[in-house]
Amino acid sequence: MGNTSTLPVPETSPEIAAVREALAKRRESGGLLLRIVPASRYSGLARRLVMRSALVYSRAWLVLLSGVFEPLFYLLAFQVGFGSLVDDVTGPGGRPITYVAFVAPALLVASAMNGAVYETLSIFYKLRFDRLYDAMLATPMGTLDVALGEISWAVLRSGMYAMAFLGVMAALGLATSPWSLLLIPVALLVATVFAALGMVCATLLKSSSQFDYIHVAVMPMFLFSTTFYPMSVYPPAMQVLVEISPLYHGIELARGLSVGVLDPSMIGHVAYLVVLAALGLYASSRRIEKLLLS
């Protein structure tokens, strides 16, 4: 007789029935997303992808650590060099602050943006060469799980950069307000936006040479989203363009919180970032679905 263990398991087998029953019970007892999103898109297993990424980087922790240094070098350069050359500037609420205190929260948010963008660019290789997501979607994981997992890991990585940066700010006496602690949630929100948008871009790229397109978009945002200059220095037409940038809204939030000046406009900044994050998450999950399931 042949080896029957190699025969395919019929779809009506007790094993498959048990798996389907377990998944059905899990959806019934799960959260709102499990109830309203089809099982083919979401099964609540995004954390598994985060755990995989953490395991991968546990053997390459120097790569994670290296991302902390670039923004810190910027901050130290401004503290030691530019800070002694530039007079006090007008900060949030019209109060005078040092130029280093003006730039520091912007650099913190920018470090979160860079960490999220460059982490999600690795999705291009996972999608085009490693075929990682093909294997994942053969499990109960759905496209929304994949998007949530990758974005969550990118946000966690950016959060580590932001916490290190805030620690240096505190050591240099640049985080004097108790509201400065909220710089971390702001950085995480900004990272979520750019991780979601970065994942969409990664699914649109055809070759690694097109990474330059991402750099062309990120660098002007870093330079001109009021990171180093107040909005008042720009002509009116350019101010409109700056206000479109997600980084600008994150910087405005961080700069106000760093000196303890709260403003009703902060609600608008948060709403803009939340909407962009939601749109990016939806678009990234749909792109994964289109590429792998259609």
Side-chain angles (χ1 to χ4, degrees), residues 3-294:
N3 186 2
T4 57
S5 62
T6 60
L7 296 177
V9 179
E11 292 190 3
T12 57
S13 69
E15 291 82 359
I16 290 182
V19 170
R20 289 176 175 173
E21 183 179 357
L23 290 174
K25 288 181 178 179
R26 189 171 183 276
R27 294 186 70 83
E28 291 176 0
S29 61
L32 181 61
L33 277 178
L34 280 173
R35 293 170 180 260
I36 64 176
V37 180
S40 61
R41 294 183 183 176
Y42 181 69
S43 58
L45 297 175
R47 67 184 183 279
R48 301 294 184 183
L49 190 49
V50 176
M51 293 169 62
R52 178 195 177 276
S53 298
L55 181 61
V56 170
Y57 277 101
S58 67
R59 302 177 182 179
W61 58 271
L62 283 176
V63 176
L64 286 177
L65 189 61
S66 64
V68 176
F69 289 105
E70 180 181 356
L72 295 186
F73 289 151
Y74 271 110
L75 183 59
L76 292 174
F78 279 102
Q79 176 73 9
V80 176
F82 291 107
S84 61
L85 298 176
V86 181
D87 296 330
D88 289 354
V89 298
T90 303
R95 66 174 61 180
I97 59 175
T98 64
Y99 184 63
V100 179
F102 178 83
V103 171
L107 291 178
L108 184 149
V109 175
S111 70
M113 174 191 72
N114 289 331
V117 169
Y118 294 122
E119 175 62 31
T120 51
L121 285 181
S122 66
I123 293 171
F124 170 81
Y125 297 102
K126 297 175 184 177
L127 184 65
R128 301 289 182 180
F129 298 101
D130 297 340
R131 300 293 180 184
L132 177 64
Y133 303 132
D134 297 80
M136 288 182 177
L137 295 180
T139 71
M141 291 185 69
T143 55
L144 185 57
D145 291 294
V146 171
L148 280 172
E150 291 289 9
I151 291 170
S152 297
W153 172 249
V155 171
L156 285 174
R157 181 174 178 176
S158 298
M160 289 188 287
Y161 298 163
M163 286 189 289
F165 200 100
L166 182 59
V168 174
M169 284 179 59
L172 296 176
L174 301 174
T176 56
S177 170
W179 292 103
S180 297
L181 294 175
L182 293 181
L183 291 178
I184 300 301
V186 170
L188 294 178
L189 179 56
V190 171
T192 302
V193 172
F194 281 99
L197 297 179
M199 187 170 185
V200 174
C201 293
T203 62
L204 294 172
L205 299 180
K206 303 300 183 183
S207 69
S208 57
S209 64
Q210 294 179 334
F211 283 0
D212 290 340
Y213 298 154
I214 307 298
H215 301 316
V216 167
V218 170
M219 183 56 69
M221 276 194 285
F222 172 64
L223 293 176
F224 299 113
S225 295
T226 69
T227 309
F228 304 106
Y229 328 103
M231 179 70 85
S232 57
V233 305
Y234 298 122
M238 191 170 182
Q239 289 182 15
V240 175
L241 294 176
V242 171
E243 289 175 350
I244 298 174
S245 166
L247 183 61
Y248 161 75
H249 295 274
I251 289 174
E252 289 299 299
L253 281 171
R255 193 165 277 152
L257 292 170
S258 67
V259 296
V261 175
L262 306 184
D263 188 89
S265 64
M266 289 182 170
I267 299 174
H269 295 313
V270 172
Y272 184 82
L273 293 173
V274 169
V275 170
L276 277 183
L279 291 175
L281 175 60
Y282 174 78
S284 58
S285 65
R286 295 294 290 177
R287 283 292 303 165
I288 292 291
E289 181 178 351
K290 181 178 180 180
L291 290 174
L292 300 180
L293 298 181
S294 61

